[in-house]
Amino acid sequence: MTAAASPPELLRAPLVVEFPFTRSLGPVQSAFLSGLRERVLLGVRTCGGTVMVPPAEYDPVTAEEIRELVEVGATGTVTTWAWNGRPRPHQPLDTPFAWVLVRLDGADTALLHALDVPGPESVRTGMRVRVRWAAERAGAITDIACFEPYEGPAAGHGTPHDGAFADAVTGIVAEARLDYTYSPGRAQTAYIKGLSEQRTVGERCPSCRKVYVPPRGACPTCGVATTDQIEVGPAGTVTTYCIVNIKAKNLDIEVPYVYAHIALDGAGLALHGRIGGIPYDQVRMGLRVEPVWTEGGRYPDHYRPTGEPDADYDAYKELI
């Protein structure tokens, strides 16, 4: 009796996805963030009289524009909470804390932030808290360092505010970041290991017979598992392309350059790659190309012309 082959070891690696972007602020958000810098908490009164903190620029019920600013208190009541025993980088506190929704005095909605307490036994719905301001403030939600327990009287009950601040905050850079451990799964593990050997490996659908590169483990059209590994390429055909005129951060490539969809020989759909070794204005549909591997041969750095005649349109039109 033959022992079954053990499955290949799956790859795992840390992955960070970041997308910081710059946005301008309208009068309401500008007043809110400018107020935080000055230790003033502002909400906005809706058409129905509800005071929203954080403020919105349009009424969530009627969709009408709202501009009536209201100053609320720096104290409030916890409406619900969840314990965070393992803070992640860039969170408000680097020690365990509670995420809390706090209805500030004078507000009708709740603000999400961190509560600094020694343990989950110290948190309860209905407990009173107050803002702990950051020592240095710049006009951001981080100007509230966190909340802390509070037993004193309420402070602030919905006082009108004109929203005027010297040197108002008019724009922010919003930091979006996700970091986690990623495993590409069985199919893409085989694909990545193939690239390390300068081979491009796809998988064929047993139903429609398309060869998918990179493989996905299942056919997106038929919904059946793909297990038959097929080596494709290395050469392929440019099916369509775009000219890039904006230099990307941390990408050492002179503009303009070309990114193209490339149908590798034997593949059932095109993958994308950069075209090099030819002036950007000479790239064209049907151009035959081959990979140029990175130093160490881990993956194709770009694709260059093979010198072959261009492929006939009928040979790749179904792959556009």
Side-chain angles (χ1 to χ4, degrees):
M1 187 173 184
T2 304
S6 54
E9 182 180 355
L10 297 183
L11 299 176
R12 294 173 63 86
L15 183 66
V16 176
V17 179
E18 290 184 289
F19 185 63
F21 63 97
T22 302
R23 59 158 293 187
S24 58
L25 300 173
V28 170
Q29 300 299 327
S30 174
F32 175 65
L33 294 181
S34 300
L36 293 181
R37 186 189 58 200
E38 307 302 325
R39 303 208 304 182
V40 174
L41 287 159
L42 294 179
V44 67
R45 194 182 306 278
T46 69
C47 302
T50 299
V51 175
M52 298 179 61
V53 181
E57 296 180 331
Y58 295 90
D59 192 304
V61 177
T62 67
E64 294 181 63
E65 188 175 25
I66 45 180
R67 292 289 182 268
E68 185 184 347
L69 294 168
V70 176
E71 184 175 351
V72 299
T75 57
T77 303
V78 172
T79 62
T80 190
W81 61 278
W83 186 250
N84 181 10
R86 298 176 62 185
R88 299 181 64 82
H90 309 296
Q91 288 189 334
L93 299 171
D94 56 10
T95 56
F97 64 89
W99 287 113
V100 288
L101 283 172
V102 178
R103 186 174 60 245
L104 295 171
D105 295 333
D108 298 297
T109 61
L111 171 74
L112 175 66
H113 217 295
L115 173 64
D116 186 12
V117 287
E121 68 284 349
S122 302
V123 193
R124 69 184 186 281
T125 297
M127 74 179 294
R128 296 284 294 161
V129 295
R130 67 179 174 187
V131 170
R132 179 190 298 167
W133 296 102
E136 297 182 3
R137 298 178 302 283
I141 192 62
T142 50
D143 291 349
I144 299 177
C146 62
F147 282 87
E148 60 189 14
Y150 173 71
E151 297 182 355
H157 296 283
T159 306
H161 195 285
D162 62 8
F165 293 95
D167 192 22
V169 179
T170 58
I172 60 172
V173 176
E175 302 284 349
R177 177 186 172 101
L178 179 65
D179 56 298
Y180 58 98
T181 300
Y182 173 71
S183 175
R186 174 198 58 79
Q188 291 200 12
T189 289
Y191 171 73
I192 294 170
K193 288 183 176 179
L195 290 179
S196 68
E197 301 168 357
Q198 297 191 10
R199 299 184 304 116
T200 304
V201 178
E203 288 188 350
R204 175 182 286 138
C205 171
S207 178
C208 68
R209 309 302 291 172
K210 282 187 177 180
V211 177
Y212 289 95
V213 182
R216 310 174 187 187
C219 175
T221 302
C222 306
V224 298
T226 56
T227 56
D228 294 339
Q229 294 186 352
I230 306 295
E231 185 171 343
V232 300
T237 300
V238 172
T239 63
T240 187
Y241 63 93
C242 70
I243 298 172
V244 182
N245 291 292
I246 299 175
K247 189 171 181 62
K249 183 179 179 181
N250 300 326
L251 186 62
D252 189 22
I253 300 175
E254 291 300 318
V255 296
Y257 59 91
V258 174
Y259 255 96
H261 274 178
I262 302 165
L264 297 180
D265 296 344
L269 79 168
L271 50 72
H272 71 272
R274 183 170 63 89
I275 306 299
I278 185 175
Y280 75 93
D281 56 358
Q282 293 183 23
V283 177
R284 56 198 179 271
M285 295 172 65
L287 180 69
R288 294 286 294 164
V289 294
E290 63 186 3
V292 176
W293 297 85
T294 58
E295 185 176 352
R298 295 183 60 189
Y299 55 88
D301 176 72
H302 63 276
Y303 289 79
R304 66 187 177 195
T306 65
E308 302 171 78
D310 288 1
D312 185 78
Y313 177 71
D314 287 338
Y316 63 86
K317 64 181 182 181
E318 299 298 328
L319 302 176
I320 294 177

